[in-house]
Amino acid sequence: MPLCIHTYAIDITQKEFEAYVRAGYNRGFGGCGDLSVAGELKPQEILTLRGGLSVGNLSAGTGEIKAFTSVRADPFARLPLRFSLSYIYNGLPRYDVNASSILPVVSYGTTRAGVSYGPNFRFTSFFGETAQYELINSFSAYFNFIYNDRRRLAAVVGNFGDFYAKNMGAYSLRLNYAVLVTGNWTAVNEIELSQSGGDALSANFYGVAWRGGAKYAW
C-alpha cells in the first residue's frame, strides 16, 4: 500500500505593518519619545497574531525598551466577542528595571463602541533582584465618533495598550484619528492625556503625548 503524505498550507488572509514616532512630556521624566513598529498576521479566519517593538528615551541618557506579542481569537461569527492573550515587556536598561506582564483579556466591541477587561499578572525586578508579583485589573473602552470606509475618529479610555499595562489608577484618554490614504495605506494621528492616582481619588494630570505614523495592509 503506498504511503500518503498530506501537506497543508497556511492561508494568510490578512497582513499589516505599522510604524510610528511618538513625542511627549510627563512630570516624571520631562521630554520623552520613541520609535515603534508592529505587525499583524491572520493565519486563520478566527485567529490573529500580533507583535511589536519600541525603542526610545524617557529623558537624557535614560533609554526605554518595550515589546509585546499577542494572539487573539474571534470564535463567534455573529457575536463580537473576542479573547486574547498578550505578553508585554518594559525595560529601563540604565536602572536594570525589567517588567513582564501576562494579560488575558476578553473584549466585546462593535463598530460604534466596545470594552475590554482582564487581569494583568505583572512581574517586576529591580537591579537583578527577585521579581515582585502584582495582580492588576486592566480595562479599556472605546467609542467611535466616525467610522466609515475612509476615516475613523475614536476616543479610548483605559490603562493598557499594545506596549504597556499600567496600574489600575493610571488610566489615560486617547483621541485617535485614522485616514485611509490609498487602498493599502492608512495615516494615523493620536493625542494621549495621562493621569495617575485615580484609584485613590487623587487624580493628577501626568503628561501628554502625540503619536503619528502609518499602517500598510495587504
Side-chain angles (χ1 to χ4, degrees):
M1 179 179 295
L3 178 65
C4 296
I5 300 176
H6 299 280
T7 60
Y8 300 91
I10 297 177
D11 184 18
I12 305 296
T13 60
Q14 180 178 320
K15 299 179 285 292
E16 291 184 358
F17 178 79
E18 308 167 42
Y20 299 98
V21 58
R22 182 175 180 270
Y25 175 86
N26 64 62
R27 297 172 64 179
F29 292 94
C32 58
D34 60 57
L35 298 173
S36 62
V37 294
E40 182 174 298
L41 292 176
K42 199 174 180 67
Q44 297 180 7
E45 193 62 32
I46 67 169
L47 194 65
T48 302
L49 306 177
R50 187 168 169 80
L53 175 67
S54 171
V55 178
N57 281 302
L58 290 176
S59 61
T62 306
E64 182 183 31
I65 300 174
K66 296 180 285 188
F68 80 93
T69 182
S70 67
V71 57
R72 188 185 75 211
D74 302 73
F76 308 109
R78 297 174 181 266
L79 186 65
L81 189 65
R82 297 175 172 178
F83 303 91
S84 63
L85 179 64
S86 301
Y87 169 77
I88 303 172
Y89 169 79
N90 296 141
L92 298 175
R94 180 178 179 180
Y95 298 104
D96 196 13
V97 177
N98 300 279
S100 296
S101 295
I102 300 173
L103 187 61
V105 172
V106 58
S107 304
Y108 183 89
T110 67
T111 56
R112 178 58 65 182
V115 63
S116 301
Y117 171 79
N120 173 18
F121 302 93
R122 187 167 69 186
F123 301 84
T124 307
S125 66
F126 302 88
F127 304 105
E129 295 182 353
T130 302
Q132 304 296 311
Y133 166 69
E134 300 171 274
L135 178 59
I136 303 168
N137 288 315
S138 297
F139 68 94
S140 178
Y142 70 86
F143 181 84
N144 286 318
F145 298 98
I146 301 173
Y147 190 97
N148 55 47
D149 293 339
R150 295 291 302 176
R151 56 181 54 86
R152 184 194 67 201
L153 175 62
V156 185
V157 177
N159 65 348
F160 78 95
D162 281 340
F163 288 104
Y164 62 87
K166 302 178 182 178
N167 292 333
M168 179 63 185
Y171 48 85
S172 62
L173 169 64
R174 291 181 285 135
L175 295 177
N176 183 286
Y177 184 58
V179 179
L180 182 66
V181 180
T182 68
N184 301 101
W185 286 98
T186 301
V188 180
N189 280 278
E190 183 177 270
I191 295 292
E192 181 177 11
L193 303 175
S194 301
Q195 67 81 51
S196 62
D199 53 344
L201 302 180
S202 59
N204 292 292
F205 176 72
Y206 184 72
V208 61
W210 166 84
R211 184 180 69 133
K215 178 190 298 184
Y216 184 78
W218 71 101

